Structures are given as C-alpha cells and as structure tokens.
mmCIF file of all heavy atoms in Angstrom:
data_model
loop_
_atom_site.group_PDB
_atom_site.id
_atom_site.type_symbol
_atom_site.label_atom_id
_atom_site.label_comp_id
_atom_site.label_asym_id
_atom_site.label_seq_id
_atom_site.Cartn_x
_atom_site.Cartn_y
_atom_site.Cartn_z
ATOM 1 N N MET A 385 5.078 5.665 31.869
ATOM 2 C CA MET A 385 3.817 6.329 31.582
ATOM 3 C C MET A 385 3.825 7.752 32.122
ATOM 4 O O MET A 385 3.445 8.669 31.426
ATOM 5 C CB MET A 385 2.678 5.502 32.188
ATOM 6 C CG MET A 385 1.337 6.080 31.942
ATOM 7 S SD MET A 385 0.765 5.535 30.336
ATOM 8 C CE MET A 385 -0.847 6.173 30.347
ATOM 9 N N ILE A 386 4.268 7.909 33.367
ATOM 10 C CA ILE A 386 4.307 9.244 33.961
ATOM 11 C C ILE A 386 5.280 10.130 33.193
ATOM 12 O O ILE A 386 4.994 11.302 32.938
ATOM 13 C CB ILE A 386 4.674 9.176 35.460
ATOM 14 C CG1 ILE A 386 3.529 8.534 36.239
ATOM 15 C CG2 ILE A 386 4.969 10.554 36.011
ATOM 16 C CD1 ILE A 386 3.823 8.306 37.700
ATOM 17 N N THR A 387 6.412 9.588 32.797
ATOM 18 C CA THR A 387 7.396 10.366 32.049
ATOM 19 C C THR A 387 6.794 10.852 30.736
ATOM 20 O O THR A 387 6.976 12.011 30.362
ATOM 21 C CB THR A 387 8.657 9.522 31.776
ATOM 22 O OG1 THR A 387 9.181 9.078 33.018
ATOM 23 C CG2 THR A 387 9.691 10.324 31.047
ATOM 24 N N ASN A 388 6.075 9.989 30.049
ATOM 25 C CA ASN A 388 5.429 10.379 28.795
ATOM 26 C C ASN A 388 4.409 11.481 29.027
ATOM 27 O O ASN A 388 4.301 12.414 28.236
ATOM 28 C CB ASN A 388 4.749 9.186 28.132
ATOM 29 C CG ASN A 388 5.749 8.187 27.599
ATOM 30 O OD1 ASN A 388 6.901 8.514 27.383
ATOM 31 N ND2 ASN A 388 5.292 6.965 27.409
ATOM 32 N N ARG A 389 3.657 11.371 30.107
ATOM 33 C CA ARG A 389 2.639 12.372 30.419
ATOM 34 C C ARG A 389 3.293 13.705 30.753
ATOM 35 O O ARG A 389 2.848 14.754 30.292
ATOM 36 C CB ARG A 389 1.784 11.890 31.585
ATOM 37 C CG ARG A 389 0.535 12.719 31.778
ATOM 38 C CD ARG A 389 -0.365 12.121 32.808
ATOM 39 N NE ARG A 389 -0.795 10.800 32.391
ATOM 40 C CZ ARG A 389 -1.427 9.938 33.158
ATOM 41 N NH1 ARG A 389 -1.710 10.246 34.398
ATOM 42 N NH2 ARG A 389 -1.782 8.757 32.709
ATOM 43 N N LEU A 390 4.360 13.664 31.531
ATOM 44 C CA LEU A 390 5.072 14.891 31.882
ATOM 45 C C LEU A 390 5.685 15.542 30.649
ATOM 46 O O LEU A 390 5.664 16.769 30.504
ATOM 47 C CB LEU A 390 6.155 14.607 32.926
ATOM 48 C CG LEU A 390 5.676 14.230 34.318
ATOM 49 C CD1 LEU A 390 6.861 13.854 35.200
ATOM 50 C CD2 LEU A 390 4.865 15.337 34.935
ATOM 51 N N GLU A 391 6.213 14.727 29.768
ATOM 52 C CA GLU A 391 6.777 15.244 28.520
ATOM 53 C C GLU A 391 5.683 15.867 27.660
ATOM 54 O O GLU A 391 5.880 16.930 27.058
ATOM 55 C CB GLU A 391 7.489 14.127 27.755
ATOM 56 C CG GLU A 391 8.147 14.566 26.485
ATOM 57 C CD GLU A 391 9.315 15.512 26.683
ATOM 58 O OE1 GLU A 391 9.843 15.603 27.805
ATOM 59 O OE2 GLU A 391 9.703 16.169 25.694
ATOM 60 N N ALA A 392 4.521 15.239 27.612
ATOM 61 C CA ALA A 392 3.401 15.791 26.842
ATOM 62 C C ALA A 392 2.953 17.129 27.420
ATOM 63 O O ALA A 392 2.672 18.066 26.663
ATOM 64 C CB ALA A 392 2.238 14.801 26.830
ATOM 65 N N VAL A 393 2.906 17.225 28.728
ATOM 66 C CA VAL A 393 2.526 18.485 29.381
ATOM 67 C C VAL A 393 3.560 19.562 29.067
ATOM 68 O O VAL A 393 3.209 20.707 28.750
ATOM 69 C CB VAL A 393 2.360 18.296 30.905
ATOM 70 C CG1 VAL A 393 2.259 19.628 31.621
ATOM 71 C CG2 VAL A 393 1.149 17.434 31.212
ATOM 72 N N ARG A 394 4.828 19.213 29.134
ATOM 73 C CA ARG A 394 5.901 20.170 28.846
ATOM 74 C C ARG A 394 5.804 20.668 27.404
ATOM 75 O O ARG A 394 5.890 21.865 27.138
ATOM 76 C CB ARG A 394 7.272 19.534 29.099
ATOM 77 C CG ARG A 394 8.439 20.513 28.952
ATOM 78 C CD ARG A 394 9.786 19.825 29.048
ATOM 79 N NE ARG A 394 10.041 18.930 27.929
ATOM 80 C CZ ARG A 394 10.383 19.335 26.694
ATOM 81 N NH1 ARG A 394 10.499 20.597 26.416
ATOM 82 N NH2 ARG A 394 10.609 18.446 25.742
ATOM 83 N N LYS A 395 5.588 19.756 26.481
ATOM 84 C CA LYS A 395 5.476 20.141 25.071
ATOM 85 C C LYS A 395 4.247 21.013 24.833
ATOM 86 O O LYS A 395 4.306 21.979 24.065
ATOM 87 C CB LYS A 395 5.432 18.901 24.185
ATOM 88 C CG LYS A 395 6.772 18.228 24.043
ATOM 89 C CD LYS A 395 6.697 17.047 23.108
ATOM 90 C CE LYS A 395 8.064 16.400 22.975
ATOM 91 N NZ LYS A 395 8.029 15.255 22.048
ATOM 92 N N ALA A 396 3.147 20.684 25.471
ATOM 93 C CA ALA A 396 1.934 21.486 25.326
ATOM 94 C C ALA A 396 2.155 22.889 25.876
ATOM 95 O O ALA A 396 1.729 23.881 25.276
ATOM 96 C CB ALA A 396 0.762 20.815 26.027
ATOM 97 N N ARG A 397 2.836 22.973 27.002
ATOM 98 C CA ARG A 397 3.132 24.273 27.610
ATOM 99 C C ARG A 397 4.013 25.111 26.681
ATOM 100 O O ARG A 397 3.762 26.293 26.468
ATOM 101 C CB ARG A 397 3.816 24.063 28.961
ATOM 102 C CG ARG A 397 3.913 25.318 29.798
ATOM 103 C CD ARG A 397 4.494 25.019 31.169
ATOM 104 N NE ARG A 397 3.594 24.145 31.910
ATOM 105 C CZ ARG A 397 3.995 23.130 32.679
ATOM 106 N NH1 ARG A 397 5.271 22.857 32.819
ATOM 107 N NH2 ARG A 397 3.119 22.389 33.314
ATOM 108 N N GLU A 398 5.023 24.494 26.104
ATOM 109 C CA GLU A 398 5.907 25.192 25.165
ATOM 110 C C GLU A 398 5.140 25.651 23.923
ATOM 111 O O GLU A 398 5.336 26.778 23.452
ATOM 112 C CB GLU A 398 7.062 24.286 24.751
ATOM 113 C CG GLU A 398 8.105 24.087 25.822
ATOM 114 C CD GLU A 398 9.202 23.125 25.377
ATOM 115 O OE1 GLU A 398 9.342 22.881 24.159
ATOM 116 O OE2 GLU A 398 9.921 22.624 26.256
ATOM 117 N N ALA A 399 4.282 24.794 23.404
ATOM 118 C CA ALA A 399 3.502 25.139 22.212
ATOM 119 C C ALA A 399 2.563 26.309 22.506
ATOM 120 O O ALA A 399 2.397 27.214 21.675
ATOM 121 C CB ALA A 399 2.702 23.929 21.733
ATOM 122 N N HIS A 400 1.989 26.307 23.689
ATOM 123 C CA HIS A 400 1.088 27.392 24.084
ATOM 124 C C HIS A 400 1.844 28.714 24.179
ATOM 125 O O HIS A 400 1.382 29.747 23.667
ATOM 126 C CB HIS A 400 0.424 27.047 25.418
ATOM 127 C CG HIS A 400 -0.538 28.071 25.894
ATOM 128 N ND1 HIS A 400 -1.707 28.367 25.237
ATOM 129 C CD2 HIS A 400 -0.501 28.886 26.965
ATOM 130 C CE1 HIS A 400 -2.345 29.316 25.880
ATOM 131 N NE2 HIS A 400 -1.640 29.654 26.933
ATOM 132 N N ARG A 401 3.006 28.692 24.817
ATOM 133 C CA ARG A 401 3.815 29.909 24.935
ATOM 134 C C ARG A 401 4.257 30.414 23.557
ATOM 135 O O ARG A 401 4.255 31.619 23.311
ATOM 136 C CB ARG A 401 5.032 29.667 25.826
ATOM 137 C CG ARG A 401 4.696 29.548 27.300
ATOM 138 C CD ARG A 401 5.927 29.311 28.152
ATOM 139 N NE ARG A 401 6.866 30.405 28.095
ATOM 140 C CZ ARG A 401 6.834 31.467 28.892
ATOM 141 N NH1 ARG A 401 5.913 31.570 29.812
ATOM 142 N NH2 ARG A 401 7.739 32.423 28.771
ATOM 143 N N GLU A 402 4.600 29.513 22.666
ATOM 144 C CA GLU A 402 5.013 29.905 21.320
ATOM 145 C C GLU A 402 3.829 30.526 20.566
ATOM 146 O O GLU A 402 3.990 31.512 19.851
ATOM 147 C CB GLU A 402 5.574 28.714 20.551
ATOM 148 C CG GLU A 402 6.006 29.021 19.145
ATOM 149 C CD GLU A 402 7.106 30.060 19.038
ATOM 150 O OE1 GLU A 402 7.843 30.287 20.017
ATOM 151 O OE2 GLU A 402 7.214 30.675 17.956
ATOM 152 N N SER A 403 2.653 29.980 20.750
ATOM 153 C CA SER A 403 1.459 30.527 20.121
ATOM 154 C C SER A 403 1.181 31.940 20.631
ATOM 155 O O SER A 403 0.869 32.844 19.843
ATOM 156 C CB SER A 403 0.256 29.625 20.416
ATOM 157 O OG SER A 403 -0.932 30.201 19.920
ATOM 158 N N ILE A 404 1.310 32.138 21.926
ATOM 159 C CA ILE A 404 1.126 33.469 22.512
ATOM 160 C C ILE A 404 2.172 34.428 21.957
ATOM 161 O O ILE A 404 1.856 35.561 21.586
ATOM 162 C CB ILE A 404 1.198 33.408 24.050
ATOM 163 C CG1 ILE A 404 -0.020 32.679 24.604
ATOM 164 C CG2 ILE A 404 1.321 34.809 24.650
ATOM 165 C CD1 ILE A 404 0.064 32.370 26.088
ATOM 166 N N ARG A 405 3.419 33.982 21.869
ATOM 167 C CA ARG A 405 4.494 34.830 21.363
ATOM 168 C C ARG A 405 4.232 35.255 19.913
ATOM 169 O O ARG A 405 4.384 36.424 19.558
ATOM 170 C CB ARG A 405 5.842 34.113 21.467
ATOM 171 C CG ARG A 405 7.040 35.036 21.188
ATOM 172 C CD ARG A 405 8.286 34.259 20.843
ATOM 173 N NE ARG A 405 8.150 33.488 19.613
ATOM 174 C CZ ARG A 405 8.170 34.023 18.384
ATOM 175 N NH1 ARG A 405 8.300 35.303 18.200
ATOM 176 N NH2 ARG A 405 8.052 33.245 17.317
ATOM 177 N N ARG A 406 3.813 34.307 19.086
ATOM 178 C CA ARG A 406 3.516 34.630 17.677
ATOM 179 C C ARG A 406 2.358 35.618 17.575
ATOM 180 O O ARG A 406 2.406 36.555 16.780
ATOM 181 C CB ARG A 406 3.190 33.354 16.892
ATOM 182 C CG ARG A 406 4.395 32.567 16.469
ATOM 183 C CD ARG A 406 4.055 31.493 15.437
ATOM 184 N NE ARG A 406 2.850 30.734 15.745
ATOM 185 C CZ ARG A 406 2.830 29.581 16.401
ATOM 186 N NH1 ARG A 406 3.946 29.026 16.818
ATOM 187 N NH2 ARG A 406 1.693 28.964 16.631
ATOM 188 N N SER A 407 1.337 35.408 18.374
ATOM 189 C CA SER A 407 0.189 36.314 18.367
ATOM 190 C C SER A 407 0.601 37.717 18.794
ATOM 191 O O SER A 407 0.206 38.713 18.161
ATOM 192 C CB SER A 407 -0.904 35.783 19.300
ATOM 193 O OG SER A 407 -1.967 36.692 19.377
ATOM 194 N N LEU A 408 1.376 37.812 19.852
ATOM 195 C CA LEU A 408 1.848 39.111 20.318
ATOM 196 C C LEU A 408 2.712 39.788 19.265
ATOM 197 O O LEU A 408 2.604 41.002 19.047
ATOM 198 C CB LEU A 408 2.640 38.964 21.623
ATOM 199 C CG LEU A 408 1.817 38.832 22.892
ATOM 200 C CD1 LEU A 408 2.729 38.470 24.061
ATOM 201 C CD2 LEU A 408 1.061 40.112 23.182
ATOM 202 N N GLN A 409 3.565 39.013 18.608
ATOM 203 C CA GLN A 409 4.431 39.575 17.580
ATOM 204 C C GLN A 409 3.600 40.161 16.431
ATOM 205 O O GLN A 409 3.866 41.262 15.963
ATOM 206 C CB GLN A 409 5.394 38.506 17.042
ATOM 207 C CG GLN A 409 6.396 39.031 16.049
ATOM 208 C CD GLN A 409 7.325 40.066 16.660
ATOM 209 O OE1 GLN A 409 7.787 39.919 17.774
ATOM 210 N NE2 GLN A 409 7.584 41.134 15.930
ATOM 211 N N HIS A 410 2.575 39.444 16.028
ATOM 212 C CA HIS A 410 1.709 39.934 14.952
ATOM 213 C C HIS A 410 0.982 41.204 15.395
ATOM 214 O O HIS A 410 0.929 42.192 14.647
ATOM 215 C CB HIS A 410 0.703 38.864 14.549
ATOM 216 C CG HIS A 410 -0.310 39.354 13.566
ATOM 217 N ND1 HIS A 410 -0.010 39.610 12.248
ATOM 218 C CD2 HIS A 410 -1.615 39.669 13.720
ATOM 219 C CE1 HIS A 410 -1.090 40.057 11.634
ATOM 220 N NE2 HIS A 410 -2.075 40.104 12.509
ATOM 221 N N ARG A 411 0.431 41.186 16.595
ATOM 222 C CA ARG A 411 -0.277 42.365 17.100
ATOM 223 C C ARG A 411 0.660 43.564 17.206
ATOM 224 O O ARG A 411 0.264 44.700 16.925
ATOM 225 C CB ARG A 411 -0.901 42.039 18.459
ATOM 226 C CG ARG A 411 -2.042 41.041 18.342
ATOM 227 C CD ARG A 411 -2.512 40.550 19.689
ATOM 228 N NE ARG A 411 -2.974 41.650 20.517
ATOM 229 C CZ ARG A 411 -2.950 41.618 21.857
ATOM 230 N NH1 ARG A 411 -2.510 40.565 22.493
ATOM 231 N NH2 ARG A 411 -3.386 42.649 22.533
ATOM 232 N N LEU A 412 1.914 43.312 17.575
ATOM 233 C CA LEU A 412 2.904 44.377 17.675
ATOM 234 C C LEU A 412 3.199 44.976 16.294
ATOM 235 O O LEU A 412 3.272 46.198 16.142
ATOM 236 C CB LEU A 412 4.174 43.831 18.324
ATOM 237 C CG LEU A 412 5.291 44.790 18.653
ATOM 238 C CD1 LEU A 412 4.811 45.907 19.561
ATOM 239 C CD2 LEU A 412 6.431 44.035 19.327
ATOM 240 N N GLU A 413 3.343 44.129 15.293
ATOM 241 C CA GLU A 413 3.583 44.614 13.929
ATOM 242 C C GLU A 413 2.420 45.476 13.442
ATOM 243 O O GLU A 413 2.635 46.527 12.820
ATOM 244 C CB GLU A 413 3.799 43.429 12.989
ATOM 245 C CG GLU A 413 5.107 42.702 13.215
ATOM 246 C CD GLU A 413 5.204 41.391 12.459
ATOM 247 O OE1 GLU A 413 4.313 41.091 11.635
ATOM 248 O OE2 GLU A 413 6.173 40.646 12.696
ATOM 249 N N VAL A 414 1.201 45.043 13.716
ATOM 250 C CA VAL A 414 0.022 45.805 13.296
ATOM 251 C C VAL A 414 -0.031 47.145 14.030
ATOM 252 O O VAL A 414 -0.287 48.184 13.420
ATOM 253 C CB VAL A 414 -1.271 44.989 13.537
ATOM 254 C CG1 VAL A 414 -2.510 45.847 13.309
ATOM 255 C CG2 VAL A 414 -1.296 43.755 12.641
ATOM 256 N N ALA A 415 0.228 47.137 15.333
ATOM 257 C CA ALA A 415 0.213 48.382 16.116
ATOM 258 C C ALA A 415 1.267 49.355 15.607
ATOM 259 O O ALA A 415 1.010 50.565 15.505
ATOM 260 C CB ALA A 415 0.433 48.073 17.593
ATOM 261 N N ARG A 416 2.440 48.848 15.271
ATOM 262 C CA ARG A 416 3.496 49.711 14.721
ATOM 263 C C ARG A 416 3.072 50.290 13.371
ATOM 264 O O ARG A 416 3.301 51.467 13.098
ATOM 265 C CB ARG A 416 4.800 48.938 14.582
ATOM 266 C CG ARG A 416 5.509 48.737 15.897
ATOM 267 C CD ARG A 416 6.846 48.060 15.718
ATOM 268 N NE ARG A 416 7.534 47.942 16.989
ATOM 269 C CZ ARG A 416 8.203 46.868 17.376
ATOM 270 N NH1 ARG A 416 8.304 45.822 16.576
ATOM 271 N NH2 ARG A 416 8.790 46.842 18.553
ATOM 272 N N ALA A 417 2.469 49.472 12.532
ATOM 273 C CA ALA A 417 2.032 49.934 11.214
ATOM 274 C C ALA A 417 0.965 51.022 11.336
ATOM 275 O O ALA A 417 0.922 51.947 10.529
ATOM 276 C CB ALA A 417 1.491 48.759 10.390
ATOM 277 N N ARG A 418 0.150 50.922 12.354
ATOM 278 C CA ARG A 418 -0.905 51.920 12.573
ATOM 279 C C ARG A 418 -0.384 53.156 13.304
ATOM 280 O O ARG A 418 -1.096 54.143 13.416
ATOM 281 C CB ARG A 418 -2.036 51.317 13.391
ATOM 282 C CG ARG A 418 -2.849 50.299 12.654
ATOM 283 C CD ARG A 418 -3.991 49.810 13.492
ATOM 284 N NE ARG A 418 -4.829 48.907 12.739
ATOM 285 C CZ ARG A 418 -5.856 48.276 13.255
ATOM 286 N NH1 ARG A 418 -6.171 48.444 14.527
ATOM 287 N NH2 ARG A 418 -6.574 47.470 12.505
ATOM 288 N N GLY A 419 0.813 53.051 13.857
ATOM 289 C CA GLY A 419 1.375 54.178 14.594
ATOM 290 C C GLY A 419 0.797 54.339 15.989
ATOM 291 O O GLY A 419 0.856 55.422 16.570
ATOM 292 N N ASP A 420 0.268 53.258 16.552
ATOM 293 C CA ASP A 420 -0.348 53.293 17.890
ATOM 294 C C ASP A 420 0.728 53.038 18.950
ATOM 295 O O ASP A 420 0.945 51.912 19.385
ATOM 296 C CB ASP A 420 -1.453 52.245 17.974
ATOM 297 C CG ASP A 420 -2.301 52.356 19.221
ATOM 298 O OD1 ASP A 420 -1.839 52.958 20.211
ATOM 299 O OD2 ASP A 420 -3.428 51.823 19.202
ATOM 300 N N GLU A 421 1.414 54.101 19.349
ATOM 301 C CA GLU A 421 2.553 53.972 20.265
ATOM 302 C C GLU A 421 2.157 53.448 21.644
ATOM 303 O O GLU A 421 2.905 52.704 22.272
ATOM 304 C CB GLU A 421 3.278 55.304 20.400
ATOM 305 C CG GLU A 421 4.030 55.708 19.145
ATOM 306 C CD GLU A 421 5.032 54.657 18.689
ATOM 307 O OE1 GLU A 421 5.765 54.104 19.540
ATOM 308 O OE2 GLU A 421 5.080 54.381 17.485
ATOM 309 N N LYS A 422 0.985 53.819 22.112
ATOM 310 C CA LYS A 422 0.530 53.331 23.425
ATOM 311 C C LYS A 422 0.369 51.806 23.394
ATOM 312 O O LYS A 422 0.826 51.104 24.288
ATOM 313 C CB LYS A 422 -0.790 53.997 23.814
ATOM 314 C CG LYS A 422 -1.288 53.596 25.174
ATOM 315 C CD LYS A 422 -2.585 54.304 25.536
ATOM 316 C CE LYS A 422 -3.089 53.831 26.879
ATOM 317 N NZ LYS A 422 -4.391 54.419 27.203
ATOM 318 N N LEU A 423 -0.265 51.318 22.335
ATOM 319 C CA LEU A 423 -0.445 49.873 22.192
ATOM 320 C C LEU A 423 0.897 49.179 21.973
ATOM 321 O O LEU A 423 1.132 48.095 22.515
ATOM 322 C CB LEU A 423 -1.410 49.559 21.051
ATOM 323 C CG LEU A 423 -1.745 48.088 20.826
ATOM 324 C CD1 LEU A 423 -2.296 47.441 22.091
ATOM 325 C CD2 LEU A 423 -2.735 47.948 19.681
ATOM 326 N N VAL A 424 1.794 49.792 21.218
ATOM 327 C CA VAL A 424 3.124 49.226 20.996
ATOM 328 C C VAL A 424 3.824 49.019 22.337
ATOM 329 O O VAL A 424 4.371 47.945 22.602
ATOM 330 C CB VAL A 424 3.971 50.111 20.056
ATOM 331 C CG1 VAL A 424 5.435 49.698 20.080
ATOM 332 C CG2 VAL A 424 3.429 50.060 18.635
ATOM 333 N N ARG A 425 3.807 50.040 23.189
ATOM 334 C CA ARG A 425 4.463 49.911 24.500
ATOM 335 C C ARG A 425 3.824 48.804 25.332
ATOM 336 O O ARG A 425 4.515 48.019 25.982
ATOM 337 C CB ARG A 425 4.412 51.242 25.253
ATOM 338 C CG ARG A 425 5.384 52.272 24.703
ATOM 339 C CD ARG A 425 5.493 53.492 25.599
ATOM 340 N NE ARG A 425 4.210 54.134 25.855
ATOM 341 C CZ ARG A 425 3.644 55.057 25.066
ATOM 342 N NH1 ARG A 425 4.270 55.432 23.963
ATOM 343 N NH2 ARG A 425 2.484 55.596 25.376
ATOM 344 N N GLN A 426 2.509 48.733 25.311
ATOM 345 C CA GLN A 426 1.805 47.705 26.068
ATOM 346 C C GLN A 426 2.175 46.304 25.570
ATOM 347 O O GLN A 426 2.461 45.405 26.373
ATOM 348 C CB GLN A 426 0.303 47.913 25.958
ATOM 349 C CG GLN A 426 -0.507 46.909 26.753
ATOM 350 C CD GLN A 426 -2.007 47.135 26.607
ATOM 351 O OE1 GLN A 426 -2.446 48.087 25.971
ATOM 352 N NE2 GLN A 426 -2.781 46.249 27.185
ATOM 353 N N LEU A 427 2.191 46.129 24.266
ATOM 354 C CA LEU A 427 2.519 44.818 23.695
ATOM 355 C C LEU A 427 3.985 44.458 23.932
ATOM 356 O O LEU A 427 4.311 43.292 24.181
ATOM 357 C CB LEU A 427 2.184 44.788 22.210
ATOM 358 C CG LEU A 427 0.685 44.858 21.887
ATOM 359 C CD1 LEU A 427 0.466 45.063 20.401
ATOM 360 C CD2 LEU A 427 -0.039 43.623 22.381
ATOM 361 N N GLU A 428 4.868 45.448 23.883
ATOM 362 C CA GLU A 428 6.278 45.185 24.190
ATOM 363 C C GLU A 428 6.427 44.720 25.632
ATOM 364 O O GLU A 428 7.217 43.810 25.921
ATOM 365 C CB GLU A 428 7.112 46.432 23.933
ATOM 366 C CG GLU A 428 7.324 46.712 22.475
ATOM 367 C CD GLU A 428 8.025 48.016 22.189
ATOM 368 O OE1 GLU A 428 8.059 48.914 23.063
ATOM 369 O OE2 GLU A 428 8.556 48.154 21.066
ATOM 370 N N ASP A 429 5.671 45.311 26.539
ATOM 371 C CA ASP A 429 5.702 44.870 27.941
ATOM 372 C C ASP A 429 5.209 43.434 28.068
ATOM 373 O O ASP A 429 5.772 42.633 28.810
ATOM 374 C CB ASP A 429 4.860 45.792 28.826
ATOM 375 C CG ASP A 429 5.495 47.150 29.041
ATOM 376 O OD1 ASP A 429 6.719 47.299 28.776
ATOM 377 O OD2 ASP A 429 4.777 48.080 29.468
ATOM 378 N N GLU A 430 4.154 43.099 27.323
ATOM 379 C CA GLU A 430 3.651 41.724 27.346
ATOM 380 C C GLU A 430 4.693 40.754 26.800
ATOM 381 O O GLU A 430 4.856 39.645 27.327
ATOM 382 C CB GLU A 430 2.357 41.608 26.538
ATOM 383 C CG GLU A 430 1.152 42.190 27.227
ATOM 384 C CD GLU A 430 -0.129 41.915 26.457
ATOM 385 O OE1 GLU A 430 -0.369 40.754 26.081
ATOM 386 O OE2 GLU A 430 -0.888 42.870 26.249
ATOM 387 N N MET A 431 5.405 41.162 25.739
ATOM 388 C CA MET A 431 6.445 40.303 25.171
ATOM 389 C C MET A 431 7.531 40.027 26.202
ATOM 390 O O MET A 431 8.017 38.900 26.319
ATOM 391 C CB MET A 431 7.061 40.951 23.932
ATOM 392 C CG MET A 431 6.170 40.999 22.723
ATOM 393 S SD MET A 431 5.983 39.430 21.883
ATOM 394 C CE MET A 431 7.536 39.333 21.032
ATOM 395 N N LYS A 432 7.913 41.040 26.955
ATOM 396 C CA LYS A 432 8.926 40.859 28.000
ATOM 397 C C LYS A 432 8.439 39.868 29.045
ATOM 398 O O LYS A 432 9.206 39.034 29.526
ATOM 399 C CB LYS A 432 9.265 42.198 28.665
ATOM 400 C CG LYS A 432 10.035 43.125 27.780
ATOM 401 C CD LYS A 432 10.244 44.457 28.468
ATOM 402 C CE LYS A 432 10.809 45.480 27.495
ATOM 403 N NZ LYS A 432 10.834 46.833 28.087
ATOM 404 N N TYR A 433 7.162 39.958 29.405
ATOM 405 C CA TYR A 433 6.589 39.064 30.399
ATOM 406 C C TYR A 433 6.665 37.603 29.933
ATOM 407 O O TYR A 433 6.956 36.703 30.726
ATOM 408 C CB TYR A 433 5.135 39.450 30.679
ATOM 409 C CG TYR A 433 4.431 38.537 31.649
ATOM 410 C CD1 TYR A 433 4.648 38.670 33.020
ATOM 411 C CD2 TYR A 433 3.558 37.550 31.204
ATOM 412 C CE1 TYR A 433 4.016 37.831 33.908
ATOM 413 C CE2 TYR A 433 2.924 36.705 32.091
ATOM 414 C CZ TYR A 433 3.159 36.861 33.446
ATOM 415 O OH TYR A 433 2.519 36.004 34.329
ATOM 416 N N PHE A 434 6.424 37.367 28.663
ATOM 417 C CA PHE A 434 6.417 35.995 28.149
ATOM 418 C C PHE A 434 7.787 35.501 27.699
ATOM 419 O O PHE A 434 7.931 34.372 27.252
ATOM 420 C CB PHE A 434 5.408 35.848 27.015
ATOM 421 C CG PHE A 434 3.988 35.777 27.508
ATOM 422 C CD1 PHE A 434 3.149 36.877 27.427
ATOM 423 C CD2 PHE A 434 3.509 34.624 28.099
ATOM 424 C CE1 PHE A 434 1.859 36.819 27.893
ATOM 425 C CE2 PHE A 434 2.220 34.557 28.576
ATOM 426 C CZ PHE A 434 1.385 35.655 28.472
ATOM 427 N N SER A 435 8.802 36.347 27.789
ATOM 428 C CA SER A 435 10.157 35.927 27.401
ATOM 429 C C SER A 435 10.853 35.181 28.505
ATOM 430 O O SER A 435 10.551 35.223 29.628
ATOM 431 C CB SER A 435 10.985 37.142 27.035
ATOM 432 O OG SER A 435 10.446 37.766 25.897
#
C-alpha cells in the first residue's frame, strides 16, 4: 500500500513538472514571437530552474 502511494506521489510530481515545463515552453514561444527579450530571458531562467 505504501509503495503504491509513493509511486502515485512520484507520478503526480512528474506530471506537475511536465505541465509547468509545457506552460513555460508555450509562454517562451509567445514571448519570442512578440520580440519581448526581457520576458524571454526571464522564462529561459525559469526553464533552467525546472530542468
């Protein structure tokens, strides 16, 4: 039971990180398309943090 719970927590944590990564990637693409270099740098820093 504990193993299943720990596995569920691990999977949820991974899914959450992947969701954050996808969101950041989309925001980065939009910032690049708009030419917002300050936001691009900020989002790139966030991507490094979550890598």
Side-chain angles (χ1 to χ4, degrees):
M385 181 85 174
I386 291 175
T387 303
N388 290 340
R389 192 173 299 169
L390 291 175
E391 182 66 17
V393 168
R394 186 187 67 76
K395 286 183 179 181
R397 192 175 296 140
E398 286 177 18
H400 181 65
R401 287 180 63 88
E402 179 61 21
S403 175
I404 291 171
R405 190 199 63 75
R406 280 193 316 266
S407 176
L408 280 171
Q409 184 63 42
H410 173 72
R411 291 171 59 207
L412 186 57
E413 290 170 7
V414 171
R416 284 184 177 138
R418 290 183 176 176
D420 190 339
E421 290 304 316
K422 183 179 177 184
L423 183 56
V424 167
R425 286 190 304 274
Q426 182 181 356
L427 292 170
E428 286 174 341
D429 288 344
E430 285 186 50
M431 289 285 284
K432 289 176 190 172
Y433 177 79
F434 284 102
S435 296

